[in-house]
Amino acid sequence: MTSRAEPTDSQSVPQAEFALRVNGDVHDLRTDCRVTLLDALRDELGLTGTKKGCDQGTCGACTVHVDDKRVLSCLTLAAQCDGREVTTVEGLADGDDPHPMQAAFLKHDGYQCGYCTPGQIMSALGLLSEGRAGSPDEIREYMSGNICRCGAYQNIVAAIQEVAGDHE
């Protein structure tokens, strides 16, 4: 790990230098060591697909993958991700072709207003990789940390079931 906090004097903010690997690209950052992964992605790298919802880890809008595991980026320090692989919703599509989960959300109208959608999609992919898509009840249980204010839960479950069926 190459990150390090360097307080320069008693009134300055400790800085951290580290490399974020996001969607396959490496970004060298020097920033306040207290910056969250969410804020680094949005403010430092301009990747605004990941949404800031509650900023307290309760809504799931900021879900991304770190080393293929879903995490709440508002509760993860950016410096903790030094050298690790971060995947955001921007990293899912293959050129102009949406990821199958993105396509299934479109097909089943799981997008609704769209604000929670990036977090829902990242969490849904995490759920699949964890082998937690055996039934609609299991999908609802393991998606319970992702809040949809539009109430598209049935559509989201249908989209996840469709993609899970394609992976069986």
Side-chain angles (χ1 to χ4, degrees):
M1 181 169 194
T2 59
S3 66
R4 59 187 179 273
E6 297 177 358
T8 55
D9 64 35
S10 63
Q11 294 185 352
S12 67
V13 175
Q15 299 289 302
E17 291 181 35
F18 52 95
L20 276 183
R21 291 175 14 133
V22 182
N23 302 328
D25 295 326
V26 177
H27 305 272
D28 293 320
L29 295 178
R30 178 177 171 84
T31 188
D32 181 335
C33 65
R34 300 167 297 178
V35 167
T36 65
L37 178 58
L38 172 62
D39 289 338
L41 292 170
R42 292 181 58 83
D43 300 338
E44 303 289 331
L45 304 180
L47 296 170
T48 57
T50 304
K51 302 302 182 203
K52 182 178 272 196
C54 67
D55 214 18
Q56 299 177 3
T58 58
C59 76
C62 67
T63 304
V64 299
H65 294 178
V66 175
D67 293 338
D68 297 323
K69 304 262 188 252
R70 55 183 165 163
V71 301
L72 298 170
S73 62
C74 73
L75 298 182
T76 305
L77 293 175
Q80 290 177 297
C81 299
D82 181 35
R84 299 170 74 187
E85 185 63 42
V86 177
T87 306
T88 68
V89 72
E90 290 97 339
L92 298 179
D94 183 14
D96 290 336
D97 296 326
H99 184 280
M101 187 64 77
Q102 293 170 312
F105 267 63
L106 276 172
K107 178 181 174 184
H108 293 280
D109 197 23
Y111 274 97
Q112 297 280 333
C113 81
Y115 196 80
C116 71
T117 305
Q120 297 276 2
I121 288 173
M122 298 308 289
S123 193
L125 291 171
L127 175 146
L128 288 179
S129 69
E130 296 160 10
R132 305 284 187 188
S135 70
D137 285 343
E138 187 176 38
I139 291 170
R140 282 190 281 275
E141 175 69 21
Y142 285 92
M143 291 293 290
S144 63
N146 290 80
I147 298 173
C148 171
R149 289 155 186 87
C150 301
Y153 293 114
Q154 291 304 319
N155 304 353
I156 292 168
V157 169
I160 295 169
Q161 282 185 287
E162 179 178 305
V163 177
D166 291 343
H167 288 271
E168 291 180 3

